[in-house]
């Protein structure tokens, strides 16, 4: 049936699967899926589309450590999901009117290892930069979905939890796309805020109540009567040797995952993405010149951070770009250039006209055939000065009256 079919479905599975590289808490599996439901905008009058759910599942316990729900995928959703992993889940659930105990979702640390497929967002430079925090990134080979089974199973269970309850409210049925079938976009009535409350309840149910029947219990765990729920297994796994968790601040995480560019020191400041930045402690570098690696925020150009100096902060010099995202700032620069370039033809014509005027004036005065006296004459200068002198105050008074 072909090599691909063999690799996906038919090759022998003689190992322990994820247990071979996830014997302890701290191996996170990342993935995203487009949810099988259409949502509407806040006004309830237009279809906003299908949201993207990004999640991290601990391979050892099956706990959902963090999630992101938005209409924006790629690296942005990964950053948002990792940031949520560091968030206090009790406070997070309280924002949605849900009260939980710490033991229900006690995860505020990053995994020491993350396992992903080879999607473009997971092989991007921004994700690779997580290695600066001591995190290991493992990109699985193609057609080996069973090696990240926990996160695939998570998406299936979460969607199965709500789909049968939301029929007629935008949920996509298996017959979607066939000719003559109902357009499920017409059923959209939930906003993304409504849907996130539903997803959050599904995740809490998954973490607290899901039973993992094939978990490889040890005798110690059986004697301790550790319940086969992800949250219970997670809490137990954090307390045993080998747990691979990292305590990292949210600011450190976001700065590490910011896109990077080359910055150039000049007398006019640090030039990054054609914008100028300053830090008063770097006078010598401005004079010496040279390049450096800089992290920048594409959502706001007010600051950049020099990587080599532990994210030294530089402030934007040109206030006209203050608070703008990078795309808008670059758009202003291009618009200004195009606008100024539009005057090039006028400038050329103006130079021709100027040459004509100067030549006309010069040709009206012929040189003295006997020449001029080149020796400086005080009398001639004085005469010329008096002839050009004006009583400015008297002229202004006369003009005003």
């Amino acid at each position: 049936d072909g090599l691909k079919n063999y690799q996906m479905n038919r090759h022998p599975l003689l190992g322990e699967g994820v247990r071979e590289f996830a014997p302890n808490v701290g191996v996170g599996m990342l993935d995203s899926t487009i949810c099988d439901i259409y949502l509407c905008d806040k006004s309830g009058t237009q279809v906003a589309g299908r949201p993207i759910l990004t999640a991290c599942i601990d391979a050892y316990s099956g706990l959902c450590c963090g999630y992101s729900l938005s209409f924006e995928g790629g690296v942005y959703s990964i950053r948002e999901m990792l940031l949520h992993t560091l968030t206090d889940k009790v406070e997070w659930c309280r924002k949605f009117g849900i009260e939980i105990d710490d033991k229900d979702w006690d995860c505020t640390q990053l995994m020491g290892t993350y396992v992903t497929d080879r999607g473009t967002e997971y092989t991007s430079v921004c994700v690779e930069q997580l290695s600066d925090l001591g995190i290991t990134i493992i990109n699985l080979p193609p057609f080996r979905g069973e090696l990240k089974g926990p996160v695939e199973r998570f998406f299936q269970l979460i969607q199965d939890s709500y789909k049968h309850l939301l029929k007629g409210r935008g949920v996509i049925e298996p017959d979607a796309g066939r000719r003559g079938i109902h357009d499920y976009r017409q059923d959209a009535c939930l906003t993304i805020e409504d849907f996130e409350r539903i997803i959050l309840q599904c995740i809490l149910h998954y973490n607290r109540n899901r039973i993992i029947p094939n978990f490889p219990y040890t005798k110690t765990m059986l004697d301790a009567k550790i319940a086969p729920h992800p949250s219970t297994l997670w809490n137990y796994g954090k307390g045993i040797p080998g747990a691979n968790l990292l305590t990292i601040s949210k600011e450190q995480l976001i700065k590490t995952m910011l896109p990077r560019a080359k910055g150039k020191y000049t007398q006019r400041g640090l030039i990054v993405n054609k914008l100028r930045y300053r830090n008063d402690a770097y006078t010598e570098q401005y004079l010496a010149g040279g390049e450096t690696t800089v992290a920048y925020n594409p959502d706001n150009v007010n600051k950049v951070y020099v990587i080599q100096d532990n994210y030294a902060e530089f402030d934007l010099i040109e206030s006209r770009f203050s608070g703008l995202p990078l795309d808008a700032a670059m758009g202003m620069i291009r618009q200004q250039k195009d606008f100024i370039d539009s005057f090039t033809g006028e400038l050329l014509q103006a130079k021709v006209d100027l040459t004509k005027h100067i030549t006309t004036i010069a040709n009206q005065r012929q040189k003295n055939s006997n020449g001029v006296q080149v020796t400086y004459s005080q009398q001639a200068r004085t005469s010329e000065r008096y002839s050009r002198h004006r009583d400015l105050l008297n002229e202004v008074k006369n003009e005003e009256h």
Side-chain angles (χ1 to χ4, degrees):
D1 295 324
L3 178 61
K4 291 183 179 179
N5 181 70
Y6 171 79
Q7 290 175 327
M8 286 192 296
N9 304 314
R10 304 299 297 275
H11 71 275
L13 303 175
L14 304 180
E16 291 191 79
V18 296
R19 300 299 172 193
E20 292 184 1
F21 55 85
N24 303 101
V25 161
V27 177
M29 297 195 162
L30 305 182
D31 208 350
S32 300
T33 190
I34 300 176
C35 297
D36 293 335
I37 187 172
Y38 284 107
L39 303 178
C40 62
D41 63 0
K42 292 182 179 180
S43 68
T45 59
Q46 294 185 351
V47 176
R50 295 167 61 183
I52 300 171
L53 177 62
T54 303
C56 171
I57 305 300
D58 175 59
Y60 174 83
S61 64
L63 184 87
C64 175
C65 302
Y67 77 94
S68 165
L69 184 71
S70 68
F71 291 111
E72 185 174 356
V75 175
Y76 175 83
S77 64
I78 298 174
R79 283 201 296 260
E80 191 176 48
M81 180 272 297
L82 292 175
L83 190 63
H84 181 257
T85 301
L86 298 176
T87 300
D88 184 332
K89 305 305 189 296
V90 174
E91 293 297 325
W92 178 262
C93 291
R94 192 166 290 152
K95 294 179 181 179
F96 294 86
I98 304 171
E99 293 294 332
I100 65 171
D101 296 329
D102 285 334
K103 64 180 181 179
D104 293 331
W105 201 354
D106 187 15
C107 179
T108 56
Q109 296 171 291
L110 293 184
M111 310 292 105
T113 300
Y114 285 101
V115 179
T116 73
D117 56 26
R118 294 186 178 273
T120 54
E121 65 269 36
Y122 300 113
T123 56
S124 67
V125 174
C126 291
V127 174
E128 290 177 356
Q129 290 166 187
L130 288 172
S131 60
D132 294 350
L133 301 174
I135 293 173
T136 301
I137 305 295
I138 298 176
N139 296 117
L140 294 175
F143 312 116
R144 294 302 302 273
E146 83 281 357
L147 294 181
K148 58 183 182 74
V151 69
E152 301 287 356
R153 182 64 173 162
F154 166 79
F155 288 134
Q156 179 184 348
L157 292 174
I158 291 298
Q159 300 218 78
D160 287 347
S161 297
Y162 70 78
K163 286 180 68 172
H164 68 286
L165 299 173
L166 298 180
K167 285 187 177 183
R169 296 179 179 272
V171 164
I172 299 173
E173 300 294 345
D175 60 0
R178 296 179 185 176
R179 181 175 297 180
I181 297 301
H182 175 69
D183 187 351
Y184 295 107
R185 292 174 295 183
Q186 298 176 355
D187 299 332
C189 62
L190 298 174
T191 66
I192 194 168
E193 289 78 13
D194 299 328
F195 187 60
E196 184 162 11
R197 289 200 294 270
I198 293 172
I199 287 292
L200 185 55
Q201 290 285 8
C202 292
I203 291 175
L204 289 173
H205 173 75
Y206 172 92
N207 281 344
R208 296 184 295 188
N209 305 115
R210 181 200 172 200
I211 296 175
I212 304 178
N214 59 347
F215 186 87
Y217 271 81
T218 63
K219 187 176 186 308
T220 303
M221 296 176 70
L222 292 172
D223 293 340
K225 299 185 183 304
I226 304 299
H229 306 310
S231 58
T232 309
L233 294 172
W234 166 268
N235 294 335
Y236 171 80
K238 288 202 307 177
I240 62 177
N244 189 12
L245 299 174
L246 302 176
T247 300
I248 296 170
S249 70
K250 293 183 178 180
E251 182 178 359
Q252 187 180 9
L253 170 65
I254 295 303
K255 285 182 178 179
T256 301
M257 294 194 70
L258 287 176
R260 299 179 182 181
K262 286 294 183 182
K264 186 176 182 180
Y265 290 113
T266 70
Q267 286 184 299
R268 300 174 63 246
L270 177 64
I271 308 299
V272 183
N273 295 325
K274 300 181 181 181
L275 302 176
R276 298 166 55 223
Y277 294 87
R278 64 177 292 173
N279 182 322
D280 293 339
Y282 283 74
T283 302
E284 293 183 5
Q285 284 85 340
Y286 301 144
L287 299 177
E291 292 187 344
T292 184
T293 302
V294 177
Y296 63 92
N297 181 6
D299 297 319
N300 192 320
V301 299
N302 282 7
K303 297 182 184 296
V304 295
Y305 307 91
V306 173
I307 304 296
Q308 285 91 332
D309 295 335
N310 196 25
Y311 294 94
E313 188 175 285
F314 282 67
D315 297 316
L316 180 69
I317 294 176
E318 299 164 288
S319 59
R320 62 194 176 111
F321 299 115
S322 179
L324 293 178
L326 181 61
D327 288 345
M330 293 298 98
M332 280 185 60
I333 293 176
R334 288 192 299 270
Q335 184 180 5
Q336 176 177 326
K337 182 179 182 302
D338 293 341
F339 178 70
I340 292 176
D341 287 347
S342 67
F343 289 87
T344 302
E346 296 181 13
L347 175 61
L348 181 60
Q349 182 61 48
K351 286 183 177 180
V352 173
D353 294 341
L354 176 62
T355 301
K356 181 179 178 180
H357 294 322
I358 293 175
T359 303
T360 300
I361 294 171
N363 290 338
Q364 291 175 351
R365 177 68 61 180
Q366 299 296 325
K367 290 184 179 181
N368 191 325
S369 59
N370 297 324
V372 295
Q373 182 179 347
V374 297
T375 305
Y376 175 74
S377 173
Q378 181 65 39
Q379 181 179 358
R381 182 178 181 85
T382 301
S383 175
E384 288 297 317
R385 180 164 62 86
Y386 278 119
S387 68
R388 296 281 296 178
H389 190 81
R390 299 154 56 193
D391 185 349
L392 301 180
L393 178 60
N394 189 47
E395 287 184 13
V396 171
K397 287 183 176 180
N398 291 334
E399 288 178 1
E400 290 180 349
H401 289 83

